[in-house]
Amino acid sequence: MLSPTPLCLFCALLLCLPLAVIITITSPTTTVHDGSGHNLVPDLDPPPKTQQRFSSKPLPLPLHDDDSLFRVASRVNSKLPPGSPKKIAFLFLTISPLPFAPLWELYFNQTPKDLFNVYVHADPSYPYDPPFSGVFAHRVIPSKPALRFTPTLASAARRLLAHALLHDRSNCMFVLLSASCIPIHSFAFTYKTLTRSKKSFIEILNNEVGSYDRWAARGKDSMLPEVTLEDFRIGSQFWSLTRKHAKLVVGDEVIWAKFNKPCVVWDTCYPEENYFPTLIHMRDPRGAVPATLTHVDWNGSFDGHPRMYVESEIGPQLISRLRKDEPRYGDDGTNGSDSPATKKRRGFPFLFARKFSPESIQPLLRIANVVVFKD
C-alpha cells in the first residue's frame, strides 16, 4: 500500500478546515448554574463593539473563587426585565440557625413571591440544626467562614451581593441582615420605602471617636495612598444598597485590597463597619442616604455587641418606640450635613431592628399580625 504524499495530506486538511470552523462557531457556550438549575450568569452587559465575540456568556467559573465570582457579577446587566416588578434581595449573614425564621415566614407570606428573593450566607464551620426550611430552604449560597476582627464578614457580604446580582436581574435593592434582626413594619411598607428610593441607605459617619485606631489597625500608613484618614468612614454593618452600588462593591478591587489585609491590632479591626461606608463615600456619596434603616441600641453594649432585647421586653410599646426613633444621618457628600437640602431628604423610618434574643420569638409571633405587621 502506497504511503500518502505530503501534497495529499495538505489537500485533505484544506477539505476539513471549513467543517472545523462551522463546528467551532455553532458549539453552545457553557453557563454556570447554582445547583438548582438557575443560570448564575444571566444577561451580562454586552462587550464593547470593538471586540469580536460569538457570545457574551463567560467560560465556566469556579464559584469558590471569589475573584472570578465578583468579576462576573460586576458585569451583569442592570436593566430591569420588561414586565418584571422590582424585587428586594434579602441577604442573611449568619453563623447559626435563624431563630426568627417563623417571623420572617409570616412577613414574606404577606406578599406575592415575585417581589423578593432570599439569600443566606451560612458559615460552614457551624452546625445548622434544625436545617434551613420554608422560605430559607435551598437559599444558602456557597459560603466560607466569617469571623469577627477579620475581613471575612465583609467578604461574606460581598459574596451575598454577587450571588444576588447574578441570580435575578430584577433585584433592585439589596438588604443585609443578621440572624438577630427582625422586621418592624409590614412587607408592603418596606417594599414601598425601598423601591421608591433611587439611593442606598448606608450609615456614613465622619470624625468618629476611634477613627484613627481603626484606620491604622493594619499598621501605620498601610491604607495609604488609596485610603487616607480623611476619607475613612465608619457606619453600621447593615445597609440597603441599590443595584448600582451592589455592582460597585463587587467590582471594587483597589479599596478592597486595603481592607482585605489582616489587622495587626485586632480589637480595633472592624472591616465590615468601615469598608462599605468608606467605599460609597469615596466613589458615590451623593448616591446614598447616609443612614441605616436597621435600628440598634448601643446603650449598655458589651464586648462590641449592642444591647440585646430579651423575651420580657417584647410588646407593642417596644415596637412603637423602635419605629419612632430616627436614624442618625451622617456625611452625604454635601458641604455640611445639616444643610436645608440635607434635612429635606431625611425622615426615613427604621424598617428593621436588632439585636433580639432567640427566646423573643414566641412573644413576637403573638403580636406579629396585630402590631409588627400593622403599620
Side-chain angles (χ1 to χ4, degrees), residues 148 180 238 273 295-309 354-356:
R148 293 183 70 199
S180 63
F238 302 98
E273 295 180 358
H295 187 287
V296 65
D297 186 355
W298 286 103
N299 293 320
S301 61
F302 175 74
D303 193 27
H305 293 286
R307 173 187 175 183
M308 178 179 287
Y309 299 103
R354 58 186 291 266
K355 192 173 185 181
F356 287 79

Side-chain angles (χ1 to χ4, degrees), residues 82-102:
S84 175
K86 294 180 179 180
K87 296 182 183 180
I88 299 176
F90 291 85
L91 316 177
F92 290 85
L93 201 169
T94 185
I95 60 172
S96 69
L98 299 173
F100 300 105

Side-chain angles (χ1 to χ4, degrees), residues 1-319:
M1 183 175 179
L2 295 175
S3 300
T5 65
L7 179 61
C8 293
L9 292 175
F10 180 71
C11 292
L13 178 62
L14 289 178
L15 289 173
C16 294
L17 183 59
L19 179 61
V21 171
I22 293 173
I23 293 174
T24 301
I25 294 177
T26 57
S27 296
T29 53
T30 304
T31 55
V32 183
H33 296 272
D34 64 355
S36 62
H38 293 105
N39 178 15
L40 274 180
V41 194
D43 306 311
L44 292 177
D45 286 331
K49 292 184 179 180
T50 55
Q51 295 181 1
Q52 183 177 0
R53 295 181 57 179
F54 296 116
S55 171
S56 61
K57 301 285 185 180
L59 295 174
L61 295 172
L63 293 186
H64 62 273
D65 177 2
D66 282 349
D67 290 339
S68 299
L69 174 68
F70 296 150
R71 192 177 304 115
V72 176
S74 68
R75 294 174 48 227
V76 75
N77 196 331
S78 289
K79 293 182 179 179
L80 188 69
S84 175
K86 294 180 179 180
K87 296 182 183 180
I88 299 176
F90 291 85
L91 316 177
F92 290 85
L93 201 169
T94 185
I95 60 172
S96 69
L98 299 173
F100 300 105
L103 183 66
W104 286 107
E105 288 281 355
L106 292 177
Y107 179 78
F108 290 124
N109 285 339
Q110 297 179 336
T111 188
K113 305 303 180 188
D114 63 349
L115 297 183
F116 69 92
N117 282 306
V118 172
Y119 306 90
V120 180
H121 186 287
D123 186 329
S125 306
Y126 295 83
Y128 295 90
D129 187 21
F132 299 104
S133 61
V135 72
F136 298 100
H138 312 298
R139 305 311 303 160
V140 179
I141 68 167
S143 306
K144 296 182 181 181
L147 306 172
R148 293 183 70 199
F149 312 119
T150 73
T152 55
L153 282 171
S155 293
R158 298 179 84 228
R159 210 170 288 124
L160 280 163
L161 286 172
H163 279 277
L165 281 166
L166 290 168
H167 174 252
D168 196 332
R169 208 169 86 191
S170 298
N171 288 332
C172 70
M173 191 69 85
F174 302 76
V175 181
L176 185 65
L177 300 159
S178 76
S180 63
C181 286
I182 69 163
I184 57 173
H185 279 284
S186 68
F187 181 93
F189 183 93
T190 299
Y191 182 85
K192 185 183 300 183
T193 301
L194 293 179
T195 58
R196 285 183 176 180
S197 175
K198 295 181 179 180
K199 296 189 175 187
S200 297
F201 296 93
I202 176 170
E203 193 172 53
I204 304 176
L205 304 176
N206 189 19
N207 296 322
E208 290 292 286
V209 175
S211 290
Y212 175 80
D213 291 336
R214 290 189 179 209
W215 177 76
R218 296 152 195 83
K220 185 179 179 181
D221 299 337
S222 66
M223 301 292 281
L224 296 175
E226 289 81 2
V227 182
T228 66
L229 180 59
E230 290 72 26
D231 281 328
F232 190 79
R233 295 294 185 270
I234 293 176
S236 170
Q237 177 186 355
F238 302 98
W239 31 250
S240 302
L241 299 184
T242 60
R243 191 171 183 86
K244 173 185 176 181
H245 283 167
K247 290 181 65 176
L248 173 65
V249 169
V250 300
D252 170 52
E253 296 180 1
V254 175
I255 306 303
W256 174 242
K258 292 297 183 177
F259 283 93
N260 197 29
K261 293 180 178 180
C263 292
V264 295
V265 183
W266 66 267
D267 59 348
T268 57
C269 185
Y270 299 96
E272 69 280 4
E273 295 180 358
N274 301 135
Y275 168 65
F276 300 99
T278 298
L279 177 66
I280 300 301
H281 162 72
M282 294 181 68
R283 296 291 186 257
D284 186 27
R286 301 203 178 190
V289 176
T292 178
L293 300 186
T294 298
H295 187 287
V296 65
D297 186 355
W298 286 103
N299 293 320
S301 61
F302 175 74
D303 193 27
H305 293 286
R307 173 187 175 183
M308 178 179 287
Y309 299 103
V310 297
E311 183 179 8
S312 60
E313 296 178 274
I314 307 303
Q317 296 80 10
L318 175 61
I319 302 300

